[in-house]
Amino acid sequence: MKIKVGVVGLGLIGASFAKAYKENDSEAIVYGWNRTESVTQTAKELGVIDDYLTDDNLCECDLVVLSLYPAATLKWMEDRKDKFNKSGLVIDACGTKRTVCEEGFRIAKEGGFTFVGCHPMAGTKFSGMDYSRGDMYKGAPMVVVPSVFDDADLLNRVEDLLGPCQFGSFHIATAEEHDKMIAFTSQMAHLVSNAYIKSPTSRNHKGFSAGSYKDMTRVAWLNPTMWTQLFLENKDNLIFEIDYLMGELVKYKDALEREDFDYLKDLLDEGRRIKEEVDGI
């Protein structure tokens, strides 16, 4: 069956969705929309999309992927809630889920279409269509947040429609579970990396840094506007993680100030052991 896909937002994430369908499904027709029309035109010229996504052909799409910032995602849905394919599927790719899903489910109910919250766990430190890849999602996890959890047909439909993206696994979660976990696995990593690089010592690191430095600072290079919105939308979970980390850092600082070899060794061993447990080493 020839699938028609609409991709809203042709940055790194959205363009990678578009490329996945173009590269892995020869019959797929991909429409694209971007706030800056020149980006959409470039995407068409490069073959990333087949044509513009418009209010007229939106109703033809079997799948619509909304790859915008959370607030913009909801506005785009609200403005076109009567134009979506009633038998199609609409998903988002936002990094937080509580607000997007609560409002998204409401908009979908009013518009008579199906919306499922989604978060592809993949990306790079770069942004923009130039860095998008058709294999961005190959083997990556996809977190799925449906409005109901007992509809096996809907979940199978999500997996089937996303087949060309080649996700490695699908994980079902509530919006609350998603946002709590993402504060730890993603948002804290970006925040700590961004704070760590601010040390005045960083200006003189060349010649003294290797893998540890690169691992720690990789995600310090981020999109400030996007991450500010994501942090604020998930501030309760993120503040919990910050408070917990600060409490742990105080312990290390205290051990160092007291030159307490045994206490510091125990702290380090505890971290090593927990890493071993959670990663199944």
Side-chain angles (χ1 to χ4, degrees):
M1 181 183 72
K2 183 179 293 186
I3 183 176
K4 292 186 178 181
V5 181
V7 179
V8 180
L10 295 170
L12 174 71
I13 299 301
S16 291
F17 270 105
K19 287 182 177 180
Y21 284 95
K22 293 301 296 176
E23 293 177 12
N24 299 316
D25 186 341
S26 60
E27 294 189 343
I29 297 175
V30 181
Y31 299 121
W33 180 97
N34 199 79
R35 180 176 58 84
T36 305
E37 187 174 344
S38 60
V39 174
T40 314
Q41 180 62 36
T42 299
K44 183 178 179 181
E45 292 173 355
L46 294 175
V48 176
I49 61 173
D50 294 295
D51 208 343
Y52 285 59
L53 176 65
T54 67
D55 288 354
D56 292 328
N57 60 28
L58 181 60
C59 63
E60 302 173 10
C61 294
D62 304 292
L63 174 69
V64 177
V65 181
L66 301 169
S67 182
L68 302 171
Y69 294 173
T73 290
L74 293 172
K75 186 177 188 308
W76 208 94
M77 288 178 66
E78 181 69 52
D79 290 347
R80 297 165 179 81
K81 63 184 177 183
D82 297 324
K83 302 183 184 298
F84 290 102
N85 183 351
K86 300 299 187 291
S87 61
L89 180 70
V90 179
I91 68 171
D92 76 303
C94 295
T96 56
K97 283 285 157 280
R98 284 176 293 179
T99 300
V100 168
C101 285
E102 180 180 0
E103 289 300 302
F105 295 148
R106 175 191 62 78
I107 294 169
K109 185 176 181 180
E110 292 177 358
F113 63 91
T114 302
F115 169 72
V116 175
C118 287
H119 185 187
M121 303 306 297
T124 72
K125 66 181 181 181
F126 301 106
S127 60
M129 184 171 62
D130 289 346
Y131 297 99
S132 61
R133 305 194 322 265
D135 63 352
M136 177 75 73
Y137 307 116
K138 185 175 183 179
M142 168 64 98
V143 181
V144 179
V145 182
S147 59
V148 295
F149 290 82
D150 58 354
D151 190 341
D153 290 338
L154 174 60
L155 299 177
N156 288 334
R157 190 169 156 216
V158 172
E159 293 190 27
D160 288 343
L161 285 170
L162 290 174
C165 301
Q166 301 180 327
F167 285 100
S169 59
F170 289 83
H171 300 269
I172 312 303
T174 65
E176 291 74 18
E177 290 169 340
H178 170 276
D179 286 2
K180 181 177 181 179
M181 289 304 302
I182 220 68
F184 172 73
T185 62
S186 177
Q187 293 184 343
M188 272 296 284
H190 285 79
L191 187 148
V192 172
S193 180
N194 193 264
Y196 172 76
I197 198 63
K198 293 178 182 179
S199 167
T201 313
S202 68
R203 275 67 175 176
N204 304 305
H205 79 86
K206 292 184 178 180
F208 295 85
S209 56
S212 297
Y213 169 82
K214 291 179 181 178
D215 290 344
M216 187 71 178
T217 60
R218 182 179 64 84
V219 292
W221 191 356
L222 44 69
N223 181 325
T225 302
M226 180 184 77
W227 284 99
T228 296
Q229 188 171 145
L230 293 174
F231 286 169
L232 289 174
E233 290 201 353
N234 202 26
K235 67 177 184 179
D236 54 342
N237 290 315
L238 189 53
I239 288 171
F240 169 82
E241 296 295 345
I242 291 171
D243 284 343
Y244 196 91
L245 177 61
M246 289 174 64
E248 288 298 307
L249 290 174
V250 167
K251 295 178 185 178
Y252 290 92
K253 182 173 181 286
D254 179 58
L256 289 166
E257 288 176 339
R258 294 190 287 108
E259 297 187 8
D260 191 331
F261 182 95
D262 291 336
Y263 183 40
L264 180 57
K265 179 174 176 292
D266 287 343
L267 289 171
L268 294 170
D269 189 57
E270 179 185 30
R272 178 203 59 78
R273 178 169 44 81
I274 292 174
K275 170 66 174 174
E276 184 178 275
E277 291 174 357
V278 299
D279 286 359
I281 298 173

